[in-house]
PDB file of all heavy atoms in Angstrom:
ATOM      1  N   ASN A 193      17.355   0.591  -6.578  1.00 98.00           N
ATOM      2  CA  ASN A 193      18.013   0.580  -7.887  1.00 98.00           C
ATOM      3  C   ASN A 193      16.991   0.655  -9.032  1.00 98.00           C
ATOM      4  O   ASN A 193      17.293   1.143 -10.124  1.00 98.00           O
ATOM      5  CB  ASN A 193      18.869  -0.694  -7.986  1.00 98.00           C
ATOM      6  CG  ASN A 193      19.428  -0.948  -9.377  1.00 98.00           C
ATOM      7  OD1 ASN A 193      18.915  -1.776 -10.115  1.00 98.00           O
ATOM      8  ND2 ASN A 193      20.478  -0.236  -9.739  1.00 98.00           N
ATOM      9  N   ASP A 196      16.144   4.288 -10.193  1.00 96.00           N
ATOM     10  CA  ASP A 196      17.415   5.000 -10.337  1.00 96.00           C
ATOM     11  C   ASP A 196      17.884   4.873 -11.786  1.00 96.00           C
ATOM     12  O   ASP A 196      18.860   4.196 -12.078  1.00 96.00           O
ATOM     13  CB  ASP A 196      18.424   4.357  -9.359  1.00 96.00           C
ATOM     14  CG  ASP A 196      19.839   4.884  -9.511  1.00 96.00           C
ATOM     15  OD1 ASP A 196      20.031   5.919 -10.190  1.00 96.00           O
ATOM     16  OD2 ASP A 196      20.755   4.257  -8.951  1.00 96.00           O
ATOM     17  N   HIS A 199      21.633   5.253 -13.209  1.00 95.00           N
ATOM     18  CA  HIS A 199      22.729   4.295 -13.055  1.00 95.00           C
ATOM     19  C   HIS A 199      23.027   3.572 -14.368  1.00 95.00           C
ATOM     20  O   HIS A 199      24.132   3.089 -14.561  1.00 95.00           O
ATOM     21  CB  HIS A 199      22.430   3.298 -11.929  1.00 95.00           C
ATOM     22  CG  HIS A 199      21.694   2.066 -12.362  1.00 95.00           C
ATOM     23  ND1 HIS A 199      20.326   1.998 -12.476  1.00 95.00           N
ATOM     24  CD2 HIS A 199      22.143   0.843 -12.740  1.00 95.00           C
ATOM     25  CE1 HIS A 199      19.968   0.795 -12.880  1.00 95.00           C
ATOM     26  NE2 HIS A 199      21.043   0.070 -13.046  1.00 95.00           N
ATOM     27  N   VAL A 200      22.025   3.526 -15.263  1.00 93.00           N
ATOM     28  CA  VAL A 200      22.225   2.777 -16.508  1.00 93.00           C
ATOM     29  C   VAL A 200      23.399   3.337 -17.311  1.00 93.00           C
ATOM     30  O   VAL A 200      24.267   2.598 -17.766  1.00 93.00           O
ATOM     31  CB  VAL A 200      20.927   2.762 -17.351  1.00 93.00           C
ATOM     32  CG1 VAL A 200      21.181   2.126 -18.712  1.00 93.00           C
ATOM     33  CG2 VAL A 200      19.827   2.016 -16.614  1.00 93.00           C
ATOM     34  N   LEU A 203      26.758   2.625 -14.691  1.00 97.00           N
ATOM     35  CA  LEU A 203      27.111   1.236 -14.376  1.00 97.00           C
ATOM     36  C   LEU A 203      27.152   0.368 -15.636  1.00 97.00           C
ATOM     37  O   LEU A 203      28.065  -0.430 -15.819  1.00 97.00           O
ATOM     38  CB  LEU A 203      26.097   0.680 -13.363  1.00 97.00           C
ATOM     39  CG  LEU A 203      26.388  -0.712 -12.820  1.00 97.00           C
ATOM     40  CD1 LEU A 203      27.703  -0.725 -12.043  1.00 97.00           C
ATOM     41  CD2 LEU A 203      25.249  -1.168 -11.902  1.00 97.00           C
ATOM     42  N   HIS A 204      26.114   0.507 -16.486  1.00 94.00           N
ATOM     43  CA  HIS A 204      26.052  -0.343 -17.683  1.00 94.00           C
ATOM     44  C   HIS A 204      26.643   0.364 -18.898  1.00 94.00           C
ATOM     45  O   HIS A 204      26.740  -0.210 -19.971  1.00 94.00           O
ATOM     46  CB  HIS A 204      24.606  -0.746 -17.964  1.00 94.00           C
ATOM     47  CG  HIS A 204      23.912  -1.320 -16.758  1.00 94.00           C
ATOM     48  ND1 HIS A 204      24.466  -2.307 -15.990  1.00 94.00           N
ATOM     49  CD2 HIS A 204      22.720  -1.021 -16.175  1.00 94.00           C
ATOM     50  CE1 HIS A 204      23.649  -2.598 -14.987  1.00 94.00           C
ATOM     51  NE2 HIS A 204      22.584  -1.829 -15.075  1.00 94.00           N
ATOM     52  N   MET A 267      10.327  -5.492 -10.450  1.00 98.00           N
ATOM     53  CA  MET A 267      10.391  -4.496 -11.513  1.00 98.00           C
ATOM     54  C   MET A 267      10.126  -5.203 -12.840  1.00 98.00           C
ATOM     55  O   MET A 267      10.588  -6.301 -13.075  1.00 98.00           O
ATOM     56  CB  MET A 267      11.749  -3.805 -11.580  1.00 98.00           C
ATOM     57  CG  MET A 267      11.784  -2.791 -12.734  1.00 98.00           C
ATOM     58  SD  MET A 267      13.323  -1.864 -12.863  1.00 98.00           S
ATOM     59  CE  MET A 267      14.443  -3.121 -13.413  1.00 98.00           C
ATOM     60  N   GLN A 278      11.701  -8.713 -12.816  1.00 98.00           N
ATOM     61  CA  GLN A 278      12.816  -8.888 -11.896  1.00 98.00           C
ATOM     62  C   GLN A 278      12.200  -8.981 -10.511  1.00 98.00           C
ATOM     63  O   GLN A 278      11.505  -8.067 -10.068  1.00 98.00           O
ATOM     64  CB  GLN A 278      13.792  -7.728 -12.012  1.00 98.00           C
ATOM     65  CG  GLN A 278      14.327  -7.594 -13.436  1.00 98.00           C
ATOM     66  CD  GLN A 278      15.585  -6.734 -13.533  1.00 98.00           C
ATOM     67  OE1 GLN A 278      16.066  -6.193 -12.536  1.00 98.00           O
ATOM     68  NE2 GLN A 278      16.119  -6.622 -14.733  1.00 98.00           N
ATOM     69  N   ILE A 329      25.396  -7.368 -17.652  1.00 96.00           N
ATOM     70  CA  ILE A 329      24.529  -6.351 -17.050  1.00 96.00           C
ATOM     71  C   ILE A 329      24.108  -6.672 -15.613  1.00 96.00           C
ATOM     72  O   ILE A 329      24.361  -5.900 -14.686  1.00 96.00           O
ATOM     73  CB  ILE A 329      23.246  -6.161 -17.900  1.00 96.00           C
ATOM     74  CG1 ILE A 329      23.591  -5.796 -19.346  1.00 96.00           C
ATOM     75  CG2 ILE A 329      22.323  -5.128 -17.272  1.00 96.00           C
ATOM     76  CD1 ILE A 329      24.097  -4.412 -19.524  1.00 96.00           C
ATOM     77  N   GLU A 330      23.465  -7.828 -15.420  1.00 97.00           N
ATOM     78  CA  GLU A 330      22.939  -8.110 -14.085  1.00 97.00           C
ATOM     79  C   GLU A 330      24.063  -8.306 -13.075  1.00 97.00           C
ATOM     80  O   GLU A 330      23.900  -8.013 -11.888  1.00 97.00           O
ATOM     81  CB  GLU A 330      22.011  -9.329 -14.100  1.00 97.00           C
ATOM     82  CG  GLU A 330      20.669  -9.066 -14.772  1.00 97.00           C
ATOM     83  CD  GLU A 330      20.687  -9.375 -16.257  1.00 97.00           C
ATOM     84  OE1 GLU A 330      21.775  -9.260 -16.877  1.00 97.00           O
ATOM     85  OE2 GLU A 330      19.634  -9.734 -16.808  1.00 97.00           O
ATOM     86  N   GLN A 332      26.721  -6.577 -12.996  1.00 98.00           N
ATOM     87  CA  GLN A 332      27.065  -5.216 -12.573  1.00 98.00           C
ATOM     88  C   GLN A 332      26.064  -4.713 -11.530  1.00 98.00           C
ATOM     89  O   GLN A 332      26.435  -4.102 -10.525  1.00 98.00           O
ATOM     90  CB  GLN A 332      27.078  -4.286 -13.800  1.00 98.00           C
ATOM     91  CG  GLN A 332      28.183  -4.641 -14.780  1.00 98.00           C
ATOM     92  CD  GLN A 332      27.909  -4.151 -16.205  1.00 98.00           C
ATOM     93  OE1 GLN A 332      26.879  -3.538 -16.467  1.00 98.00           O
ATOM     94  NE2 GLN A 332      28.835  -4.438 -17.117  1.00 98.00           N
ATOM     95  N   ASP A 333      24.793  -4.996 -11.769  1.00 98.00           N
ATOM     96  CA  ASP A 333      23.780  -4.590 -10.791  1.00 98.00           C
ATOM     97  C   ASP A 333      24.018  -5.267  -9.444  1.00 98.00           C
ATOM     98  O   ASP A 333      23.956  -4.623  -8.394  1.00 98.00           O
ATOM     99  CB  ASP A 333      22.371  -4.932 -11.302  1.00 98.00           C
ATOM    100  CG  ASP A 333      21.886  -3.950 -12.363  1.00 98.00           C
ATOM    101  OD1 ASP A 333      22.084  -2.738 -12.181  1.00 98.00           O
ATOM    102  OD2 ASP A 333      21.307  -4.400 -13.372  1.00 98.00           O
ATOM    103  N   TRP A 337      24.387  -3.607  -5.764  1.00 98.00           N
ATOM    104  CA  TRP A 337      23.465  -3.885  -4.656  1.00 98.00           C
ATOM    105  C   TRP A 337      24.219  -4.405  -3.435  1.00 98.00           C
ATOM    106  O   TRP A 337      23.991  -3.960  -2.313  1.00 98.00           O
ATOM    107  CB  TRP A 337      22.417  -4.938  -5.051  1.00 98.00           C
ATOM    108  CG  TRP A 337      21.622  -4.627  -6.277  1.00 98.00           C
ATOM    109  CD1 TRP A 337      21.371  -3.386  -6.805  1.00 98.00           C
ATOM    110  CD2 TRP A 337      20.965  -5.574  -7.149  1.00 98.00           C
ATOM    111  NE1 TRP A 337      20.596  -3.519  -7.931  1.00 98.00           N
ATOM    112  CE2 TRP A 337      20.335  -4.829  -8.170  1.00 98.00           C
ATOM    113  CE3 TRP A 337      20.845  -6.971  -7.143  1.00 98.00           C
ATOM    114  CZ2 TRP A 337      19.597  -5.446  -9.189  1.00 98.00           C
ATOM    115  CZ3 TRP A 337      20.111  -7.582  -8.157  1.00 98.00           C
ATOM    116  CH2 TRP A 337      19.488  -6.819  -9.169  1.00 98.00           C
ATOM    117  N   GLY A 448      16.745  -0.446 -20.811  1.00 46.00           N
ATOM    118  CA  GLY A 448      16.619   0.176 -19.498  1.00 46.00           C
ATOM    119  C   GLY A 448      16.567  -0.898 -18.431  1.00 46.00           C
ATOM    120  O   GLY A 448      15.924  -1.909 -18.607  1.00 46.00           O
ATOM    121  N   GLN A 449      17.242  -0.673 -17.338  1.00 49.00           N
ATOM    122  CA  GLN A 449      17.198  -1.661 -16.259  1.00 49.00           C
ATOM    123  C   GLN A 449      16.657  -0.999 -15.015  1.00 49.00           C
ATOM    124  O   GLN A 449      16.824   0.179 -14.838  1.00 49.00           O
ATOM    125  CB  GLN A 449      18.597  -2.203 -15.979  1.00 49.00           C
ATOM    126  CG  GLN A 449      19.137  -2.985 -17.144  1.00 49.00           C
ATOM    127  CD  GLN A 449      18.616  -4.390 -17.192  1.00 49.00           C
ATOM    128  OE1 GLN A 449      18.528  -5.068 -16.196  1.00 49.00           O
ATOM    129  NE2 GLN A 449      18.237  -4.861 -18.355  1.00 49.00           N
TER     130      GLN A 449
HETATM  131 FE1  FE2 C 505      20.993  -1.920 -13.730  1.00 97.71          FE
END
Side-chain angles (χ1 to χ4, degrees):
Chain A
N193 171 258
D196 173 13
H199 89 275
V200 173
L203 186 63
H204 309 311
M267 179 178 70
Q278 302 197 358
I329 303 287
E330 288 91 331
Q332 294 157 0
D333 283 317
W337 305 335
Q449 294 279 317

